[in-house]
Amino acid sequence: DEGAPGRRGERSEEAPAERGPGAAFHMFVLMEDLLDKLKLLSYEEEALRRHNMRPLSRHYFALPTNPGEQFFMFCTLAAWLITKAGHPFEQPQECDDPNAVISNVLSELRSF
């Protein structure tokens, strides 16, 4: 049955407990896929070295360890990806208002 919910890559409207025992680990798989894609884009050399940041762990965004640091890393990567896609985007600073930063990122992505 190709339309069965819970297959990899398909979205389901069911609650996580109803999707099966592997649903709790789906975020870890997504994070590993994200990290592989960032490595293909040379994020370590182009984004991290410029900002003197450490490389991401396999589960960096999957576990809430330091929300402030994780948010800044997300913003740094988002700004780098937007710039890499050909749209100049100013790198957010740690002291910037998080709501304003997210608003700017979303606004820029909508313009794509």
Side-chain angles (χ1 to χ4, degrees):
D1 183 16
E2 290 188 33
R7 292 187 182 254
R8 187 172 177 175
E10 292 184 12
R11 294 183 182 214
S12 173
E13 297 300 322
E14 297 177 12
E18 297 173 8
R19 291 189 300 189
F25 300 101
H26 185 66
M27 186 57 63
F28 295 98
V29 173
L30 289 176
M31 181 58 210
E32 288 187 31
D33 288 346
L34 170 68
L35 191 56
D36 288 342
K37 291 173 183 175
L38 287 172
K39 285 180 180 180
L40 288 172
L41 293 170
S42 303
Y43 90 103
E44 291 169 323
E45 294 82 19
E46 295 182 23
L48 299 183
R49 282 198 187 140
R50 184 170 55 207
H51 300 288
N52 198 25
M53 299 174 122
R54 295 184 325 237
L56 301 178
S57 69
R58 295 181 328 147
H59 305 130
Y60 185 79
F61 290 116
L63 298 171
T65 54
N66 183 343
E69 177 186 303
Q70 288 172 311
F71 178 75
F72 183 67
M73 178 63 80
F74 168 79
C75 293
T76 298
L77 291 173
W80 172 71
L81 288 168
I82 291 168
T83 301
K84 191 159 182 78
H87 291 241
F89 191 82
E90 188 175 325
Q91 170 65 38
Q93 302 300 314
E94 283 189 85
C95 59
D96 290 347
D97 175 35
N99 292 321
V101 172
I102 290 299
S103 178
N104 290 341
V105 168
L106 290 174
S107 175
E108 191 63 37
L109 292 176
R110 285 185 193 109
S111 74
F112 275 64

